[in-house]
Amino acid sequence: QKITTMFSDGGQRKTISSSYTRSGKSKPKRLSRNVLRISAFVGCILMSSMVAGVFIIVSSTTTTDNATSGGVNFESKVSSSVINEKPHQANAVGGSGVRGSTNAKNKKTNTITKAAVFTKAAVKKPDPVPLSRPIQKPKYGRTLSVDKLEILSHASPVNLDYEEAPSKRKEEHPHMGALDENDQPGYIHDETALRLNPPEAKDLTCGNTFDAHYKMLTQKVKVNTEGHELAEEQALTGDEDKRRAKIFCTVYTIEKNHDKLNSIRETWGPKCDGFMVASTKTDKSLNTVNLPHEGPEEYKNIWQKVRSIWSYVYDNYYEEYDWFHIGGDDLYLIVENLRLYLESEEIKMAAHGGKPDGVPNGMEKPLFLGRRFAEQGNMERIFNSGGSGYTLNKAALKTLVLSFETCFPHMHTFAEDVMVASCLRKNGIFPFETKDDTGAERYMPFQPGHHLNYRPPKVNPESDW
């Protein structure tokens, strides 16, 4: 089955309930097993109409739209916690089906029936008396699910003005800044260099065109080029509401892995508005920046590396960008799809607290987007996997960096994604539900072939990711 990346507008989309819950609430749903990590080797696939990535927007071509009228949304809940042995007719992603509460025919029938009932009831009512002051149309027409509103309810709106961290004033870790090519302090990286001067993409092909990775990337993954091009045209009108979201992308690596960077720099890297590679050696030709951090440079100390990365990004680029994405040197990001998602009514509504004009001017609700996992199966400790990277808005980035002063400041661990989630959780910020309207995941932490051929284990399936 084909998976499209067309992103529907406003009230025409269905709302999928989230698997998040907090202590004392009803028993949560299990996290979906639809997982996929796109490694950087897919940079060798360069096609004009197809690129692969750890970030895809998926929707089923056979799913019907919601019936909406008079501000009432008829929601069709789709369970994404169980994967069929055979793909579902109307809801499939990466070769694994998502079991819904009804089959495709019933889903269509139920939706149409509900709409018909509502319409019939409305006909019986007398015509409304015209209002002397007509009700203003809300800025954002989409409504969020109860579960998503629950996630947003714990965090307070954040003032978006830059606020200097105490350790920045003291010039201490994690605000020590970067070193230049001669290891001198005070270096400020030009984050626009790659976008303004992208390298020529080489015509590379993968060696095996019949393996599961290639099949996944060519048959299931799509780039919403039509939606991207339309958004680009609308942005030229100068309308502030049509302004494109500005995304800062960060990749972390070490000097001995610099040979991996060309597959990123020649493909998705230049599509980010700002781009930086945090490394152990500054090399302007590769867009790498040497960022010192507390403790040794090793896998078991990535948490300290990430603390320095986010602090450097916040200190130097915070005011210029709307969104910030971070991940390792083995990922591929579909920037077109990511940008459209961040510009969607759903995300705009979420940043406003779930309702139009829900926060004062100059403030926004913090959003923490990614592929949600349960830490060691604990549903009270949801975090976003670092495999596909995760995305923060300005409010979340500011909150995270300012929390570094007291949140595990000297811990050495590889689990930076778990630590980031812990620091944000202390401030009431929980991973937002990012599944699309068919229940399919947008952020894919594992390799393409793993996702294409995945089946739940027959023994102890509850222990699976």
Side-chain angles (χ1 to χ4, degrees), residues 113-134:
T113 301
K114 290 179 180 179
V117 170
F118 182 85
T119 305
K120 185 176 181 181
V123 171
K124 294 181 179 180
K125 295 181 180 180
D127 293 335
V129 178
L131 299 175
S132 57
R133 296 179 62 186

Side-chain angles (χ1 to χ4, degrees), residues 243-276:
R243 182 180 69 85
R244 302 305 316 265
K246 295 186 67 177
I247 305 173
F248 188 98
C249 303
T250 304
V251 170
Y252 51 82
T253 189
I254 55 178
E255 184 179 4
K256 73 174 185 178
N257 290 337
H258 281 188
D259 59 334
K260 294 182 177 181
L261 298 178
N262 281 335
S263 61
I264 296 175
R265 296 178 65 254
E266 295 174 4
T267 54
W268 65 265
K271 298 177 182 179
C272 300
D273 300 285
F275 179 83
M276 179 185 81

Side-chain angles (χ1 to χ4, degrees), residues 216-231:
M216 180 68 197
L217 301 180
T218 56
Q219 298 176 16
K220 300 294 184 180
V221 177
K222 297 285 185 177
V223 182
N224 190 355
T225 54
E226 182 178 347
H228 169 72
E229 292 171 358
L230 178 60

Side-chain angles (χ1 to χ4, degrees), residues 433-445:
E433 174 61 85
T434 57
K435 293 188 184 75
D436 73 2
D437 285 349
T438 70
E441 298 287 351
R442 287 187 169 95
Y443 290 77
M444 310 299 170

Side-chain angles (χ1 to χ4, degrees), residues 53 63 65 103 121 160 177 186 189 207 221 249 252 265 272 280 295 315 339 342-343 350 381 389 393 395 417 432-433:
T63 303
D65 292 332
N103 59 33
L160 296 182
H189 168 69
V221 177
C249 303
Y252 51 82
R265 296 178 65 254
C272 300
T280 54
D315 291 337
R339 199 187 310 274
L342 301 179
E343 294 169 347
R381 294 182 61 82
N393 66 355
D417 46 7
F432 192 70
E433 174 61 85

Side-chain angles (χ1 to χ4, degrees), residues 198-349:
E200 181 180 355
K202 299 176 181 178
D203 184 16
L204 303 175
T205 57
C206 289
N208 187 349
T209 59
F210 299 99
D211 66 6
H213 300 309
Y214 186 85
K215 291 179 181 178
M216 180 68 197
L217 301 180
T218 56
Q219 298 176 16
K220 300 294 184 180
V221 177
K222 297 285 185 177
V223 182
N224 190 355
T225 54
E226 182 178 347
H228 169 72
E229 292 171 358
L230 178 60
E232 288 287 301
E233 292 178 5
Q234 293 176 337
L236 297 177
T237 63
D239 187 346
E240 179 62 22
D241 286 339
K242 302 298 182 181
R243 182 180 69 85
R244 302 305 316 265
K246 295 186 67 177
I247 305 173
F248 188 98
C249 303
T250 304
V251 170
Y252 51 82
T253 189
I254 55 178
E255 184 179 4
K256 73 174 185 178
N257 290 337
H258 281 188
D259 59 334
K260 294 182 177 181
L261 298 178
N262 281 335
S263 61
I264 296 175
R265 296 178 65 254
E266 295 174 4
T267 54
W268 65 265
K271 298 177 182 179
C272 300
D273 300 285
F275 179 83
M276 179 185 81
V277 179
S279 185
T280 54
K281 179 67 176 179
T282 295
D283 186 341
K284 293 182 181 180
S285 67
L286 293 175
N287 312 103
T288 63
V289 181
N290 184 1
L291 284 175
H293 56 77
E294 178 181 301
E297 180 68 41
E298 61 182 12
Y299 178 69
K300 294 181 180 180
N301 196 35
I302 294 181
W303 165 235
Q304 291 298 329
K305 186 183 186 79
V306 167
R307 290 176 76 242
S308 290
I309 294 172
W310 278 133
S311 297
Y312 184 78
V313 170
Y314 175 72
D315 291 337
N316 294 286
Y317 311 109
Y318 169 79
E319 296 181 288
E320 301 299 324
Y321 297 88
D322 306 307
W323 294 89
F324 305 86
H325 185 88
I326 190 172
D329 57 15
D330 57 348
L331 64 82
Y332 194 101
L333 189 68
I334 300 184
V335 181
E336 296 91 336
N337 290 2
L338 173 60
R339 199 187 310 274
L340 287 171
Y341 176 53
L342 301 179
E343 294 169 347
S344 69
E345 280 199 66
E346 176 186 0
I347 296 303
K348 288 181 179 179
M349 178 68 78

